[in-house]
Amino acid sequence: MIIRSATRSALSGTVALATGLLVLLPAPSPAAAHTRTEPVPPAAGSSRTADRALLYEPGTQVRPASGAPSPPSEVSALSWLVADAVTGDVLAAHNAHRRLPPASTLKTLFAVTALPHLSEHARHTVTEDDLAGIGEGSSLVGVVPGLSYKVADLWRGVFLSSGNDAVRVLAAMNGGWDSTVTQMREKARMLGALDTHVVSPDGYDEPGQVSSAYDLAVFGRTGLASPEFVRYSSTAEAQFPGDKGTYGIQNTNRLLSGAGGVERYPGLIGVKNGYTSRAGNTLVAAARRGDQTLLVTVMNPQSGASQAVYEEARALLDWGFAAEGQVTPVGSLRPAPADPVVLPGRRAGKPVRDGARSGAAETDRILRKERKERSEGAESTERTEGTGRTEEAGAGGTVSGVVGEPMTGAVGGAHGPEVRSGAGASGPGGREGREAAAGSDGSGGFSYLMPMVVIGTAVLAALALFAFRAARRRPRRR
């Protein structure tokens, strides 16, 4: 009788203990429950609630509050977009996903693909083979076979002179032309830029080569997280090496240089312009005013004005700054979540990210690998050259400061860069990403420990019950 009572008491106590531990067990954080595609929720009021399908609708998409200014009516571009560069919120757009020839704005994708693989201190002696295949009528910076160039000089040739010859050499250093095409296509998919098809990394007109205002904005936003990208794209003037010394080159982005009678835009960070006979004029431009940084894309203005691409970009930037806080986002430059989004003309159940590499963890792994390769390359070069000096912009160049942790937001669904003045300012992405991995409630390790305690308690209870029953079966001595 005493033994049976003890058995019941032990069993009841064990059940009560397990129940109490289960009540105390914290609910698993989203990060612990499943892999996020957007690890950290964006700030309140951002495009987390935006209907991503809106950007696939034709025409102009904008959701202004009462009394907010309307987007400029004089913009004649076939496609354009205005976005917050930090959050990725799309403030307004016109035919955002219309596929059009991108011209040299495609060099933004080339840069975000190849920059992490090539140390800016490395040198390369150019061969005739490196320059083979340059398209007729291409813009050139003047790369000469047989001369040795620093990678940093070649990048200035790309960003300032839009030199297809410099692109050819950098692509050769990056594994070859065809390999670079493959890498760019993969990078576009990883970024969620699914309107883009790369045929020629320099943006030269080729059959089937297309992008969109949306995708080009994604590439520009990704580039703003890279100190090198910002430094090159914001440089107005520099010196380029030639066979008889150096000569001056000027940025072809007239909103930055002020050339051709175009007034410089205050706070312009740069990025990239382009032109071909098929694409017309194209431009990706970023500018900062106060605490806000905007990114605009303008593709193929139809007004016929000689500087239309710059003046329309100016009008869109002015509108974006004036409309701050007065519009509801109509989309996001961050990749879509894994859940399917039904778009006009597409079957339900097919994710927008069709064919894209998904998951913040995979993106972070790629970014860490790229940063490690870039760091190791720089250290190796510094040991070889005996200097740790970072290559600055050329004479007269401008060193801007939109620098942040690489955007797992533009690249994998989390954050945009923290935009600050002064090159070298670091963004918050790394710390927030680690917090997301640990669980948004800060209990990442605890939430995994508690189930083990509960399971262990249940096992001990089972053993105790077995021991009591075994004792009860033994014959008692009188």
Side-chain angles (χ1 to χ4, degrees), residues 351-386:
V352 174
R353 292 170 56 90
D354 182 31
R357 181 182 298 173
S358 60
E362 176 64 11
T363 298
D364 288 340
R365 182 189 67 78
I366 293 171
L367 289 171
R368 285 195 300 271
K369 181 180 178 182
E370 290 180 348
R371 288 198 298 271
K372 181 179 178 182
E373 288 175 352
R374 182 165 49 186
S375 174
E376 290 176 348
E379 290 174 2
S380 175
T381 305
E382 287 166 7
R383 285 193 295 270
T384 301
E385 298 182 355

Side-chain angles (χ1 to χ4, degrees), residues 246-271:
T246 63
Y247 54 90
I249 56 175
Q250 184 180 64
N251 202 309
T252 56
N253 180 352
R254 295 183 179 182
L255 281 181
L256 181 68
S257 67
V262 176
E263 183 182 351
R264 290 186 177 93
Y265 193 85
L268 193 80
I269 299 163
V271 188

